[in-house]
Amino acid sequence: MAATKALLMLENFIDGKFLPCNSYIDSYDPSTGEVYCRVPDSGKEEIEAAVEAARRAFPGWSSWSPQERAQVLNKLADLLEQSLEELAQAESKDQGKTLALARTMDIPRSVQNFRFFASSILHHTSECTQMDHLGCMHYTVRTPVGIAGLISPWNLPLYLLTWKIAPAMAAGNTVIAKPSELTSVTAWMLCKLLDKAGVPPGVVNIVFGTGPRVGEALVSHPEVPLISFTGSQPTAERITQLSAPHCKKLSLELGGKNPAIIFEDANLDECIPATVRSSFANQGEICLCTSRIFVQKSIYSEFLKRFVEATRKWKVGVPSDPSASMGALISKAHLEKVRSYVKKALSEGARIQCGEGVDKLHLPARNQAGYFMLPTVITDIKDESCCMKEEIFGPVTCVTPFDSEEEVIQRANNVKYGLAATVWSRDVGRVHRVAKKLQSGLVWTNCWLIRELNLPFGGMKSSGIGREGVKDSYDFFTEVKTITVKH
Ligand SMILES: NC(=O)C1=CN([C@@H]2O[C@H](COP(=O)(O)OP(=O)(O)OC[C@H]3O[C@@H](n4cnc5c(N)ncnc54)[C@H](O)[C@@H]3O)[C@@H](O)[C@H]2O)C=CC1
Ligand SMILES: N/C(=C\C=C\C(=O)O)C(=O)O
């Protein structure tokens, strides 16, 4: 009889202790479709316990000096870095992404998030103005908000969770975090390092479970004055409704329908590999991924031929395969949703140039039930199609020709989202002009995803509210007070 492997059992982390839960949710390995882990299905009770712990820890932690908090954050970064390989293996197994990407992007960036905010907290200054004619001076002071509720998604699990935890802690808040129920493992591993790093009990509490149960309990709790959320637009709407009666501070980092605009003078040798990567990195499961490619008519045929050739070389493989560029999608339901967009495009008369339904996917026998899909390029599609309007969040991108600068700006802006755009041209004037006119929180020109953590990150329109980054995260995770002194 074949031995059954024990499932990995996660526990909540509240008040510095691992605590079991009454019920659990199955968590799947996306590369095999098998259950391999069980995640606590927490609810109101666990949130109450976490709030109590975070409330008790707040006076102590918020009175530490920035230097003392920075020391703890740096130590946490060191410990994460020492566990890089173990964390990368876990992230890849839990999420489906390639091990190579987890090793080179997810975990290094998680380390960097702690180091970055550990350093930046030492350099904030406050404002002061004078009114000499009235014998007054005015200055501002900032204080941490209190208990920060942090809700993160499944696509970049530890990367995006730490992008919220680090600035919240650095500013002196205590934290209750709820990672996605689909990818909870690396957050649980992080909990094991907190005590070693010197994080006092109750400063960071991580409560696992689903959005509707534990997520809503966190968002609705009257003692949690601030919610930072990354995820989908419909969930953001629900969070906004639940927060409204309490006037909570909200940071919402949501989806995109990101255009790449490729002018005839673009350097295609650089643009094509970068646009393959921006379309299909992490299985297309990054809110910044390109999903509409506008190409100037005079180079359309050449671009398309070369882009499809390069896409066919973007290998789909098991996450541990070092030659694979792409692993498995997050879940069966998500795979079906992404595939349904390709079917819809076909039914509208579009052409599938490569990928889904056109090419064959080769996988080992044990991965046949995994959630894999080939990178897919769609052409001959109308701007009004749902494939050109809705966030697909998978390895599907649409390519379409354009004539003029004015036309392409109008078409690129003609969606409800406004997160990230790329512009490819060697004309400096044009690059500045177009970047300014795009309704997009981020514009990368002649590159993609070069991140400057100092500067604001976030979207316009339905892509969210607020920005993250040094100044913006500090402002968000603190309350400001203006004090006037008459002398
Ligand atoms: N940053 C982004 O742009 C992301 C966008 N998405 C988009 O969302 C689609 C659906 O993915 P989901 O995992 O369902 O995203 P989601 O927005 O439902 O999940 C993100 C986080 O919110 C939590 N959540 C869900 N419902 C909640 C509620 N009512 N109250 C509080 N928290 C709640 C989830 O448990 C998870 O931790 C994807 O296909 C993609 O289009 C998903 C993840 C990240
Ligand atoms: N928020 C997301 C990506 C952020 C990337 C970054 O901060 O570098 C997302 O995909 O949801």
Side-chain angles (χ1 to χ4, degrees):
M1 203 173 77
T4 37
K5 222 173 153 199
L7 298 180
L8 177 64
M9 296 290 292
L10 308 192
E11 290 182 315
N12 288 319
F13 187 76
I14 299 172
D15 206 13
K17 292 185 274 299
F18 284 100
L19 300 173
C21 194
N22 291 333
S23 57
Y24 285 82
I25 312 161
D26 287 339
S27 182
Y28 294 79
D29 173 345
S31 74
T32 60
E34 288 163 7
V35 174
Y36 85 105
C37 169
R38 306 206 76 209
V39 176
D41 185 11
S42 317
K44 278 190 179 151
E45 204 181 307
E46 288 77 7
I47 289 296
E48 280 305 337
V51 166
E52 207 182 307
R55 186 201 309 127
R56 265 200 315 269
F58 181 75
W61 179 249
S62 59
S63 64
W64 284 28
S65 70
Q67 286 76 6
E68 287 168 319
R69 289 198 296 263
Q71 211 171 5
V72 168
L73 262 62
N74 276 322
K75 177 75 180 156
L76 201 44
D78 293 345
L79 291 168
L80 281 174
E81 199 166 42
Q82 285 158 24
S83 308
L84 190 147
E85 182 56 26
E86 206 185 324
L87 286 162
Q89 298 263 0
E91 200 72 296
S92 165
K93 186 171 178 74
D94 209 26
Q95 206 277 339
K97 66 180 68 216
T98 65
L99 180 55
L101 194 70
R103 270 188 193 135
T104 55
M105 185 179 83
D106 290 75
I107 310 306
R109 171 62 190 274
S110 309
V111 172
Q112 191 192 1
N113 287 338
F114 281 110
R115 294 221 169 103
F116 189 78
F117 286 104
S119 154
S120 73
I121 196 67
L122 305 177
H123 303 288
H124 293 288
T125 54
S126 61
E127 296 156 279
C128 177
T129 62
Q130 296 163 228
M131 276 187 183
D132 291 341
H133 60 294
L134 296 178
C136 279
M137 63 173 285
H138 315 266
Y139 65 96
T140 58
V141 290
R142 285 194 170 267
T143 44
V145 179
I147 304 174
L150 312 177
I151 301 180
S152 55
W154 45 259
N155 55 330
L156 301 170
L158 193 64
Y159 177 130
L160 291 178
L161 179 70
T162 53
W163 178 237
K164 296 187 187 303
I165 289 186
M169 285 176 78
N173 300 279
T174 53
V175 161
I176 302 175
K178 194 214 81 69
S180 168
E181 63 277 25
L182 302 177
T183 53
S184 296
V185 173
T186 49
W188 171 75
M189 291 167 77
L190 170 73
C191 298
K192 296 185 188 185
L193 305 176
L194 294 172
D195 181 48
K196 263 196 202 159
V199 179
V203 170
V204 176
N205 306 277
I206 303 203
V207 181
F208 299 102
T210 66
R213 274 201 78 208
V214 74
E216 293 203 5
L218 176 60
V219 171
S220 314
H221 201 289
E223 287 185 65
V224 178
L226 161 165
I227 299 291
S228 174
F229 169 77
T230 297
S232 66
Q233 199 256 343
T235 300
E237 241 177 83
R238 178 76 184 137
I239 289 176
T240 307
Q241 284 163 359
L242 294 172
S243 309
H246 307 280
C247 288
K248 296 195 181 202
K249 275 186 116 174
L250 283 184
S251 164
L252 305 174
E253 206 278 277
L254 314 177
K257 190 67 196 171
N258 309 312
I261 301 177
I262 300 166
F263 287 98
E264 59 193 358
D265 63 345
N267 177 344
L268 291 188
D269 292 341
E270 288 178 9
C271 165
I272 288 170
T275 307
V276 170
R277 197 168 70 83
S278 72
S279 300
F280 305 122
N282 203 49
Q283 302 74 241
E285 296 168 331
I286 304 182
C287 62
L288 310 165
C289 277
T290 301
S291 61
R292 296 179 295 149
I293 305 176
F294 296 93
V295 186
Q296 203 153 23
K297 242 178 209 155
S298 53
I299 58 159
Y300 181 77
S301 303
E302 183 197 353
F303 174 88
L304 184 61
K305 181 171 171 291
R306 290 175 61 184
F307 184 71
V308 169
E309 273 167 20
T311 299
R312 284 206 163 104
K313 291 188 186 135
W314 190 259
K315 183 180 161 187
V316 178
V318 294
S320 58
D321 176 353
S323 68
S325 301
M326 206 167 97
L329 275 69
I330 183 66
S331 65
K332 192 159 191 274
H334 189 57
L335 174 66
E336 277 162 13
K337 178 182 145 188
V338 175
R339 283 191 168 143
S340 75
Y341 278 100
V342 181
K343 277 203 198 102
K344 186 85 178 46
L346 266 176
S347 74
E348 291 169 352
R351 288 185 60 190
I352 312 303
Q353 298 286 342
C354 63
E356 176 73 7
V358 173
D359 300 305
K360 189 139 178 52
L361 178 56
H362 300 281
L363 290 167
R366 93 167 281 261
N367 300 96
Q368 294 293 330
Y371 317 133
F372 294 90
M373 171 177 177
L374 286 166
T376 299
V377 178
I378 300 176
T379 59
D380 304 272
I381 188 148
K382 295 199 170 62
D383 286 6
E384 293 68 39
S385 166
C386 61
C387 297
M388 289 284 281
K389 291 275 187 205
E390 295 171 17
E391 182 177 55
I392 300 176
F393 217 63
V396 175
T397 198
C398 302
V399 188
T400 183
F402 73 89
D403 283 305
S404 70
E405 188 178 306
E406 229 168 67
E407 172 207 329
V408 77
I409 291 168
Q410 186 275 327
R411 289 173 64 196
N413 287 340
N414 191 23
V415 289
K416 70 174 182 177
Y417 292 109
L419 184 57
T422 60
V423 180
W424 292 86
S425 168
R426 287 187 248 221
D427 177 339
V428 178
R430 172 147 65 195
V431 158
H432 286 290
R433 214 167 42 236
V434 175
K436 224 167 153 188
K437 287 185 183 158
L438 287 171
Q439 294 166 351
S440 184
L442 303 147
V443 181
W444 278 290
T445 71
N446 299 316
C447 64
W448 179 70
L449 198 47
I450 297 181
R451 287 284 279 112
E452 159 55 293
L453 304 187
N454 282 295
L455 296 190
F457 176 93
M460 298 180 179
K461 306 198 286 189
S462 291
S463 290
I465 295 178
R467 297 289 184 269
E468 295 173 293
V470 163
K471 185 173 177 306
D472 296 275
S473 297
Y474 183 63
D475 288 355
F476 180 67
F477 286 114
T478 55
E479 281 291 5
V480 69
K481 184 183 296 178
T482 301
I483 299 175
T484 299
V485 179
K486 183 146 170 38
H487 47 82

